[in-house]
Amino acid sequence: MTNIYLPHLARIITIQDDTYDTKTFGLELVDAEARNTFRFRPGQFLEIAVLGVGEAPFGLASNPNHPEAFFVTIRAVGSVTDALHKLSPGDIVGVRGPFGNGFPFDEIKGKNVLFVAGGIGLPPLRSLIEPMLDARSEFGDVQILYGARSPADLVYKNRLKEWETMQDVRFMMTVDVGDSGWSGNVGVVTTIFPKADIIVDNTVAFVCGPPIMIRFAIMELLRLGFAPANIISTLERYMKCGVGKCGHCAIGHKYVCLDGPVFSYREMMKLPERVV
Amino acid sequence: MIKNTPTICSFCSNGCGMFVRSRGGEAIGVIPLTGHPVGEGRLCHRGWNRYQNLRSVNRIDRPRIRDGSGFKEVSWEKALQKTADRIRGLLDRYGPESIGVIGSPWLTNEDNFRLSRFCIHVLSSKNLDGSFRFAGASALTALGSAFSYPFGSLGTIPRLKECPSILVVGGDSHRDFSPVGSRIIQAFLRGSKVVLADATVARKEHFYAAHLPYTLQQLPIALAEKSDILDDVQQCLSHKGLGLVFVADQVHPASSLISLLGLLSRLSNLEDSFPEILPLSRAPNLRGAWDMEIRPDEEGLNLHEMLERDDGIKGILIFADDLLTHLPSEPLVERLKSLEFVLVADRFNTETCRIAHCVLPLPLLAESEGTMTNCEGRVQKLRSALPPPAETRSVQKILSDLSQKVGSPLPDHVDFEVRKEMSRCVPGYQQVSDESALDSLPGVLLPGEKQLSAGAVFPESASSSSKSETFTFVAIDTLYGWNRNQMILESPVLAIEYPLDPMTLCISAADARALKLRMGETVTVRSKEGEVRLPVQPNEDVPVGMILLASHWKDVLDRLAGKGSVDTLTGSVYYPALSVTVEKI
Amino acid sequence: MNQYVLLKTDLNRWVEMARKKYRVYAPERVQEDIFFAPLLGPPESEFLTGLAVLPYLPPKDLVFPQSEILFSYSREGEKIALTVPDQETEASVLLGIRSCDTVGISWMDKFFRENFNDTYYGRRRDNLITVTIACNRPIKNCFCVCCEGGPFLDPGKNSFDLQLIDMNDRYLVECNSDQGETLINLDPALFSAPPPDMEAMRNRLEEEARSMFLPEPTSYMGTAIRRITADSVPSEVWTELGERCFDDGGCTFVCPCCSCFGVGYLAHGSGGCHYRFWDSCDYSGFTREVSGHNPRGEKGERFKRRFFHKLSYQYVKKDGRIGCVGCGRCITACPGEVGMPTVVETIRRSDTGDSSKE
């Protein structure tokens, strides 16, 4: 029987510096059978442990169509992430998961899709964007709006360049504060909404980022006419077990790790605590 | 098989009874002890999570000595010999005045007693003190001056719930000491009037009948002048059967408590009995360490003097105290770091261990026997719940071996023999040789001397200027905040229950609005002595006109308050409330 | 469900047979406290009568311990080995558990098995057979009648193995599971068929027991459940209740229906372990995030949320019942005197403009 608290061992294959405080870790499960059977859905997360130090949840950022080598993007903000940042390729971490409900995928085929991402909110959305691009013809218009604090805070800079040049993707980005080398948009991500030609009809919007950014982005989308059920975001809470037992992430009668972390705005409004 | 050992919690001066549950020598849980007079079958969040720090991996494993910029682990023989040689060296070169010995409110009475014997008879030094010199000594000095010494038990926690009125000085008294808070609430439910005196909070809880927004220094003056106080609060405080609760660690200076006691006794016109007085402390054995005379006589240096004076000590022996975190100012910290020889005997790898020349591992209180005296003056026996790790040695053994090596062997008495000695020579402790009384649940309540002695005067009022543009800056001793207690850090729950107080100034939300300050914005704070720049944190719970900062930010205090004020009665230094101006940058 | 009669004079013999095949836990006194401890001889009969006896910690401790190691790890050169501790999987019998605690264990059974199956709970629980003693007389803090937690278990509604009902010199034994039958079959000669009037006597005893509860803490839960579900309790009420709360966590630890835990990590040299321990949503750090942001920073909010979890209809739907069995331990453990009955009464009395009849 599966032991839900026992991690699988995973080896760090690659570490890439994304920004001054963010790294992307490419991981591979050590056990061959685990490696071959590992699958995940867009928007799910892993509980990654530095043995003896701590464990924390991280959204999978890689393409679910290539599960043999998956990656997560981690910003150093506390003891666990600091410890992860000190590791090197070849080091071993513990991995449990994938957990969480994940983003809808098949259910939204045929619709237009709008992605609104802020800063470190892009990695989990990327796990949805990539398979969508793989099955591009099954979706309508695909638009990505990305904002970060400054040019130095943009993640996946190379991939952003590729999205900019893709014909069948509408991509715009902005930074809150520019620098001497920046000639693009300046302002929070909602400031590029007016010039983005957002399609509202038959569109599902995915919003990920810092809580304040999510709040303002959703307000704007509602103003544009999006229905609450068609605005989809993720909730973050302090998590421990990831499997709906320890109680830390409970909001109302939902557990962020089981019933979420993906929630529509309509579901969020029904929760007894203010979450957005 | 789970073993349940009934013992006493070692976090604070409440001394609640609990079972420590263990399996195979490892702690796996705790259960409160039903029928314990203090805990009455309940625990606070520290007590309930005590078992976590008992499995800490951050223990000092083996003796170690300084080796260049690092340490190397050595045998006990080598460590003790090295220590004895260094002690001998200091004694020969500079004499016994050059060594200081630090006892601890985290040691048992017996170990403190042994330490005091060691200091006086083996080292011939009179420089004996504890870190409570800066937090707790003032209150105990005040009590010793107001009542005759030994004052024994001045009140009990169970009797507190029967007091028709209670004066609570400092909200921490009820919030962070749940058996006391519980009796306060029980008293309230029975119709008692409870009054909160605390200048640093904007609101009172609903069970307080009144909120006196005064510091301990201001309180006696305010009460005497009757100007601000409602008549019925005055009446409430003059009631016979008053309870008085405060955190001894937060009392500064001693004269303020003496004034308060003097005033209360005048208000109530009492000739015989006096209030139930509970001096609480964050440390389990403040009373015991004090009673075992871990303090210098007129000829010895107290801890402040040891480190402050240029002709102070050259070497220091620190037992079971993370001394660095209890020193109130940076210059004192630097002085400690620069001493020629520092011995640290402790349980966990604390900050103080890092500056030591020799580090020795002690057993935890949960791995020890012996007695401790709680805030009520109740002497209770610890029972060892876990086997001490093989490489630790008791204070008894360490001192016995050291004394032999230094050249003046001490008799190696076990705990009950030490208690016999205590009953003969420690004032007030005659009953501790009664082993069966100690073994019983209520322990031994020290006989109390509650006659307020003549000479409890009412010193001059402290001046407090209050121009409208100025704020009052108060440095708050947050008891367990920051790394004031390694046991807290070793528990995953408690480490986040007492988060590190950030270096931000707490200001009332109203003042922040008036000054147009946002969360995190930096301001310049200027006092007579100097200025600092710090970010602010608006907070609904801070009173208007006040700026609060956790007192462990010594750098800030040094710049704003300079050398602080001297508590002449205690011979220590403290930081009173300051008048400051606050400017947006 | 099968019924039998067991003479009290035969109890020790049956327990003796059980001890040959099982580890038998029964209530044992240490000073003023009662614990469930493995029997080394015959049980204390004073704890196995119809007078309620409650150990300080509920028996959830036997299936969900106060702390337990999840796994240890050790590094040997390049390899890392993870080991799950070999816990005592010895088949056990819990003799002398009371109805409230048995209902609490059923609550835990559902919680730990649903969604992701918690095998640490399962491997202890699957090896545990419960022998409940029904309470003919409640004690001071009991209010199980208000919470469908007793004083007698209902073989039709509650899941249990064996229930013993004290009838002076004998027990009426109700067997409600195969595990229970296994225990009976240890020595079937001791168990005789009940006479026809047994049923009437059983019902009379239950009625009598239900009539013996003290007016306080007994309290009508329906109003509290309704108001909490509708979030119509004024926030000042929660603030005041929160002011009486000490964040000690005692209520959580002694509650048969509380299951929150935290995880700790220990690293020593080349090895270490991850362990879990009882945690409480009352603690200020329970939801505090690494950034310092705390969605439940106010004590009153945390207090309110805990009672939402216990009593709101949303959870009742999810868990199958309210999260309280009326054992009264929270009254014993709470320094602020705000256990479940006080909270329910306070909510009932609070003026919400709710005009529905109570």
Side-chain angles (χ1 to χ4, degrees):
Chain A
M1 207 178 283
T2 338
N3 183 334
I4 54 183
Y5 303 113
L6 188 66
H8 287 287
L9 297 176
R11 185 170 289 112
I12 300 177
I13 305 293
T14 56
I15 302 182
Q16 197 161 308
D17 284 328
D18 287 300
T19 74
Y20 53 92
D21 63 358
T22 311
K23 297 189 189 197
T24 294
F25 293 78
L27 302 166
E28 182 187 84
L29 290 170
V30 167
D31 175 67
E33 201 199 319
R35 195 162 59 232
N36 294 334
T37 54
F38 180 68
R39 300 279 182 276
F40 66 95
R41 288 196 310 278
Q44 287 193 302
F45 66 93
L46 294 174
E47 285 276 349
I48 301 185
V50 177
L51 295 176
V53 175
E55 194 185 47
F58 299 101
L60 282 148
S62 54
N63 189 336
N65 293 334
H66 306 289
E68 60 289 346
F70 51 96
F71 59 82
V72 291
T73 301
I74 298 177
R75 175 195 275 159
V77 291
S79 56
V80 179
T81 46
D82 282 348
L84 281 166
H85 272 228
K86 292 199 174 84
L87 297 178
S88 315
D91 285 338
I92 306 281
V93 293
V95 162
R96 291 190 300 118
F99 299 133
N101 57 349
F103 291 119
F105 189 77
D106 292 329
E107 305 88 314
I108 57 173
K109 283 185 177 168
K111 294 189 191 269
N112 306 315
V113 184
L114 168 65
F115 294 98
V116 181
I120 198 83
L122 183 56
L125 282 184
R126 190 170 169 190
S127 71
L128 180 58
I129 295 174
E130 301 297 357
M132 207 171 265
L133 295 179
D134 283 352
R136 182 66 187 90
S137 56
E138 300 186 65
F139 298 89
D141 178 79
V142 171
Q143 180 170 33
I144 304 173
L145 303 176
Y146 179 43
R149 270 192 308 234
S150 73
D153 288 282
L154 294 163
V155 291
Y156 308 142
K157 295 180 179 71
N158 292 334
R159 192 66 181 131
L160 298 180
K161 286 203 186 81
E162 290 170 7
W163 288 340
E164 240 175 345
T165 57
M166 278 182 187
Q167 291 301 334
D168 51 2
V169 169
R170 297 195 292 141
F171 177 80
M172 279 179 80
M173 63 178 163
T174 177
V175 293
D176 296 0
V177 172
D179 62 21
S180 52
W182 183 258
S183 55
N185 296 307
V186 174
V188 296
V189 72
T190 40
T191 55
I192 54 174
F193 279 24
K195 34 178 159 168
D197 267 329
I198 294 175
I199 302 172
V200 177
D201 224 26
N202 198 31
T203 307
V204 175
F206 292 91
V207 183
C208 262
I212 293 202
M213 174 243 146
I214 294 185
R215 186 183 317 151
F216 283 108
I218 292 185
M219 267 166 44
E220 265 309 297
L221 293 172
L222 291 169
R223 215 180 51 77
L224 288 173
F226 278 83
N230 290 331
I231 302 175
I232 302 191
S233 184
T234 52
L235 281 185
E236 271 185 23
R237 276 288 151 113
Y238 181 69
M239 270 190 212
K240 250 321 3 138
C241 70
V243 289
K245 300 290 180 210
C246 72
H248 286 258
C249 71
I251 307 179
H253 64 293
K254 304 270 186 192
Y255 289 90
V256 174
C257 66
L258 281 182
D259 308 294
V262 174
F263 291 96
S264 71
Y265 182 61
R266 188 168 81 171
E267 289 168 324
M268 288 187 195
M269 289 197 298
K270 289 204 220 143
L271 294 171
E273 292 172 34
R274 181 168 153 194
V275 291
V276 153
Chain B
M1 286 285 295
I2 298 183
K3 183 170 141 210
N4 296 310
T5 310
T7 182
I8 304 296
C9 183
S10 59
F11 265 109
C12 77
S13 67
N14 286 324
C16 299
M18 58 161 52
F19 287 98
V20 170
R21 314 169 73 200
S22 60
R23 185 194 266 126
E26 285 208 336
I28 57 164
V30 297
I31 303 182
L33 199 63
T34 305
H36 188 266
V38 174
E40 54 178 5
R42 298 164 172 167
L43 289 174
C44 74
H45 56 179
R46 296 187 294 273
W48 271 112
N49 292 290
R50 182 190 183 195
Y51 61 93
Q52 291 156 24
N53 73 63
L54 300 183
R55 326 168 70 115
S56 159
V57 292
N58 195 26
R59 298 279 297 270
I60 299 168
D61 287 324
R62 271 168 280 278
R64 55 179 189 259
I65 55 179
R66 187 79 77 81
D67 184 28
S69 61
F71 286 87
K72 67 171 186 227
E73 286 185 341
V74 295
S75 67
W76 270 100
E77 175 58 34
K78 185 138 184 232
L80 289 171
Q81 192 57 55
K82 175 109 191 175
T83 301
D85 291 343
R86 297 296 294 267
I87 290 178
R88 255 280 62 88
L90 287 173
L91 290 173
D92 291 344
R93 259 181 299 151
Y94 307 109
E97 313 79 55
S98 68
I99 303 192
V101 176
I102 303 299
S104 170
W106 287 281
L107 279 180
T108 59
N109 291 329
E110 292 79 358
D111 281 342
N112 276 315
F113 187 86
R114 293 181 177 107
L115 209 48
S116 137
R117 283 279 177 280
F118 180 82
C119 181
I120 296 169
H121 296 300
V122 177
L123 303 181
S124 303
S125 165
K126 313 229 171 167
N127 304 333
L128 176 64
D129 206 2
S131 63
F132 44 78
R133 178 58 43 193
F134 299 110
S138 302
L140 295 177
T141 305
L143 290 173
S145 157
F147 302 95
S148 57
Y149 190 78
F151 47 82
S153 172
L154 293 172
T156 70
I157 292 178
R159 278 206 298 271
L160 190 64
K161 87 160 184 274
E162 280 147 31
C163 293
S165 49
I166 306 176
L167 174 58
V168 178
V169 179
D172 283 336
S173 309
H174 100 253
R175 266 184 261 120
D176 219 3
F177 294 89
S178 69
V180 173
S182 174
R183 297 332 194 285
I184 288 172
I185 288 177
Q186 290 175 41
F188 159 76
L189 290 173
R190 292 158 61 122
S192 300
K193 261 238 177 95
V194 191
V195 174
L196 173 69
D198 193 335
T200 61
V201 293
R203 302 181 295 210
K204 61 172 183 62
E205 282 85 346
H206 71 281
F207 46 81
Y208 284 115
H211 175 199
L212 306 175
Y214 301 104
T215 62
L216 180 58
Q217 262 190 296
Q218 299 164 330
L219 189 60
I221 306 144
L223 290 174
E225 288 168 8
K226 292 188 193 202
S227 49
D228 296 80
I229 318 291
L230 304 163
D231 268 322
D232 63 342
V233 170
Q234 280 283 28
Q235 254 230 334
C236 155
L237 294 178
S238 337
H239 216 299
K240 188 162 176 174
L242 175 69
L244 175 62
V245 176
F246 55 88
V247 182
D249 306 359
Q250 294 172 333
V251 168
H252 297 289
S255 57
S256 60
L257 183 57
I258 298 177
S259 304
L260 180 64
L261 292 170
L263 180 84
L264 288 176
S265 99
R266 286 212 328 252
L267 278 180
S268 52
N269 277 327
L270 295 175
E271 274 159 0
D272 46 340
S273 88
F274 208 78
E276 296 289 322
I277 302 180
L278 292 172
L280 311 173
S281 170
R282 81 183 114 221
N285 202 19
L286 172 67
R287 291 289 306 263
W290 189 259
D291 290 339
M292 297 301 121
E293 307 201 323
I294 300 291
R295 48 199 151 94
D297 61 15
E298 312 76 49
E299 291 166 33
L301 299 177
N302 68 35
L303 176 56
H304 184 227
E305 290 160 339
M306 286 188 216
L307 294 176
E308 215 242 343
R309 285 160 58 142
D310 288 326
D311 61 341
I313 54 173
K314 303 265 190 287
I316 194 167
L317 313 179
I318 305 171
F319 282 78
D321 197 316
D322 189 10
L323 193 59
L324 268 187
T325 62
H326 294 114
L327 295 174
S329 70
E330 278 302 329
L332 292 177
V333 169
E334 289 309 310
R335 195 66 221 297
L336 181 65
K337 288 184 186 172
S338 68
L339 291 177
E340 277 189 38
F341 179 66
V342 177
L343 169 74
V344 171
D346 208 336
R347 293 125 181 170
F348 300 104
N349 285 307
T350 61
E351 272 200 41
T352 312
C353 292
R354 288 200 234 138
I355 59 137
H357 297 91
C358 178
V359 179
L360 303 174
L362 293 177
L364 297 173
L365 285 168
E367 296 161 353
S368 313
E369 309 253 318
T371 58
M372 297 202 295
T373 308
N374 78 350
C375 60
E376 308 166 290
R378 183 189 304 272
V379 182
Q380 303 190 99
K381 228 193 217 180
L382 296 178
R383 274 180 197 82
S384 166
L386 304 165
E391 273 302 314
T392 59
R393 286 200 188 170
S394 63
V395 170
Q396 173 196 339
K397 182 110 177 67
I398 292 174
L399 293 180
S400 166
D401 289 346
L402 260 185
S403 69
Q404 289 218 348
K405 289 182 189 298
V406 169
S408 313
L410 274 180
D412 191 8
H413 287 159
V414 293
D415 282 345
F416 82 85
E417 291 170 317
V418 173
R419 284 195 282 276
K420 283 215 194 77
E421 246 194 286
M422 274 160 55
S423 74
R424 279 196 303 267
C425 38
V426 176
Y429 275 65
Q430 291 80 13
Q431 291 169 27
V432 296
S433 54
D434 182 353
E435 295 294 321
S436 63
L438 275 183
D439 280 328
S440 72
L441 203 51
V444 166
L445 203 58
L446 297 173
E449 174 53 70
K450 298 229 289 197
Q451 185 66 40
L452 201 64
S453 64
V457 271
F458 194 69
E460 276 174 43
S461 47
S463 64
S464 53
S465 64
S466 47
K467 299 198 288 282
S468 55
E469 319 85 61
T470 60
F471 283 77
T472 308
F473 170 87
V474 176
I476 304 225
D477 181 344
T478 56
L479 297 182
Y480 290 98
W482 194 245
N483 46 351
R484 290 294 172 89
N485 188 316
Q486 198 67 24
M487 294 197 291
I488 298 274
L489 293 177
E490 299 300 321
S491 149
V493 171
L494 297 178
I496 57 180
E497 279 313 284
Y498 293 102
L500 304 185
D501 307 301
M503 190 160 65
T504 57
L505 298 164
C506 288
I507 189 174
S508 82
D511 284 332
R513 277 193 296 274
L515 290 172
K516 299 198 173 44
L517 291 170
R518 281 194 328 259
M519 165 89 73
E521 214 175 310
T522 311
V523 296
T524 308
V525 179
R526 269 191 207 95
S527 72
K528 255 190 354 217
E529 301 272 347
E531 66 174 56
V532 291
R533 296 217 165 99
L534 285 174
V536 294
Q537 194 180 353
N539 190 325
E540 296 285 343
D541 284 331
V542 177
V544 169
M546 214 161 239
I547 302 258
L548 307 176
L549 178 74
S551 66
H552 63 261
W553 295 110
K554 309 190 223 282
D555 227 356
V556 176
L557 290 186
D558 289 339
R559 275 187 282 165
L560 276 185
K563 300 204 124 203
S565 295
V566 176
D567 182 347
T568 45
L569 289 173
T570 322
S572 76
V573 75
Y574 69 101
Y575 293 100
L578 290 177
S579 280
V580 296
T581 57
V582 175
E583 239 172 65
K584 201 169 137 123
I585 293 196
Chain C
M1 194 264 299
N2 296 327
Q3 288 183 319
Y4 308 92
V5 167
L6 172 71
L7 295 177
K8 281 195 180 171
T9 45
D10 287 334
L11 176 68
N12 285 357
R13 215 170 102 194
W14 179 48
V15 172
E16 202 43 49
M17 298 294 303
R19 279 186 53 222
K20 294 204 174 85
K21 291 185 72 180
Y22 301 91
R23 173 175 291 185
V24 179
Y25 288 90
E28 172 191 274
R29 187 190 291 284
V30 176
Q31 295 186 358
E32 277 186 54
D33 286 275
I34 299 191
F35 299 96
F36 274 112
L39 279 179
L40 302 171
E44 290 286 338
S45 56
E46 66 164 301
F47 299 139
L48 301 176
T49 70
L51 174 63
V53 166
L54 281 183
Y56 193 98
L57 286 186
K60 77 176 178 183
D61 185 54
L62 291 171
V63 287
F64 170 52
Q66 199 169 13
S67 69
E68 66 175 327
I69 294 183
L70 294 172
F71 66 88
S72 312
Y73 70 91
S74 61
R75 268 176 243 273
E76 289 133 34
E78 284 295 305
K79 292 195 56 173
I80 299 183
L82 302 182
T83 325
V84 176
D86 196 13
Q87 69 106 48
E88 305 139 347
T89 47
E90 208 182 54
S92 306
V93 170
L94 185 51
L95 172 66
I97 184 175
R98 298 294 163 153
S99 320
C100 51
D101 287 336
T102 311
V103 175
I105 297 263
S106 309
W107 187 98
M108 295 249 154
D109 287 346
K110 179 172 191 304
F111 176 76
F112 278 107
R113 291 183 164 142
E114 66 189 1
N115 302 311
F116 290 91
N117 183 15
D118 186 323
T119 49
Y120 291 82
Y121 180 86
R123 62 188 185 160
R124 291 178 199 269
R125 180 67 182 99
D126 292 341
N127 288 311
L128 186 69
I129 306 179
T130 56
V131 181
T132 308
I133 313 271
C135 296
N136 302 15
R137 276 183 55 204
I139 49 178
K140 191 172 64 136
N141 290 335
C142 292
F143 61 102
C144 59
V145 273
C146 316
C147 307
E148 292 181 341
F152 282 37
L153 293 172
D154 181 336
K157 288 205 203 129
N158 299 122
S159 81
F160 61 90
D161 299 316
L162 289 176
Q163 172 167 234
L164 269 51
I165 299 167
D166 183 354
M167 295 186 171
N168 294 321
D169 64 338
R170 62 198 63 198
Y171 294 108
L172 171 63
V173 179
E174 297 185 323
C175 179
N176 211 22
S177 76
D178 290 338
Q179 298 253 56
E181 286 297 343
T182 317
L183 278 190
I184 303 281
N185 288 330
L186 284 175
D187 196 345
L190 298 177
F191 296 87
S192 51
D197 62 343
M198 215 71 174
E199 193 64 33
M201 185 156 166
R202 182 219 191 272
N203 293 337
R204 185 173 56 77
L205 285 173
E206 186 170 6
E207 269 317 300
E208 269 175 25
R210 294 179 77 87
S211 73
M212 282 194 207
F213 285 79
L214 301 170
E216 200 186 310
T218 308
S219 175
Y220 181 50
M221 302 287 268
T223 312
I225 293 175
R226 230 182 9 257
R227 290 191 182 160
I228 286 179
T229 305
D231 197 12
S232 64
V233 180
S235 60
E236 307 84 65
V237 172
W238 291 119
T239 304
E240 268 193 23
L241 288 169
E243 283 174 355
R244 298 239 310 246
C245 170
F246 284 89
D247 278 10
D248 49 287
C251 56
T252 315
F253 302 143
V254 300
C255 177
C257 301
C258 271
S259 56
C260 286
F261 60 87
V263 182
Y265 315 93
L266 297 173
H268 201 33
S270 61
C273 69
H274 291 199
Y275 66 102
R276 74 170 171 190
F277 51 86
W278 290 350
D279 204 347
S280 171
C281 62
D282 276 331
Y283 290 153
S284 65
F286 192 75
T287 49
R288 190 183 303 117
E289 294 159 30
V290 143
S291 62
H293 169 63
N294 191 346
R296 272 181 232 134
E298 289 291 316
K299 209 152 40 124
E301 271 177 46
R302 296 197 286 279
F303 197 86
K304 166 180 168 182
R305 186 253 152 214
R306 184 160 179 275
F307 284 87
F308 177 85
H309 189 144
K310 296 232 158 265
L311 298 181
S312 74
Y313 186 59
Q314 288 94 321
Y315 268 103
V316 171
K317 240 182 0 176
K318 204 167 108 69
D319 299 333
R321 55 161 293 117
I322 57 169
C324 175
V325 293
C327 69
R329 287 186 174 91
C330 51
I331 306 171
T332 316
C334 177
E337 315 280 345
V338 279
M340 176 66 78
T342 308
V343 175
V344 167
E345 270 308 301
T346 308
I347 291 175
R348 285 188 59 210
R349 293 207 194 104
S350 70
D351 178 25
T352 63
D354 179 4
S355 58
S356 53
K357 265 177 74 149
E358 310 230 326

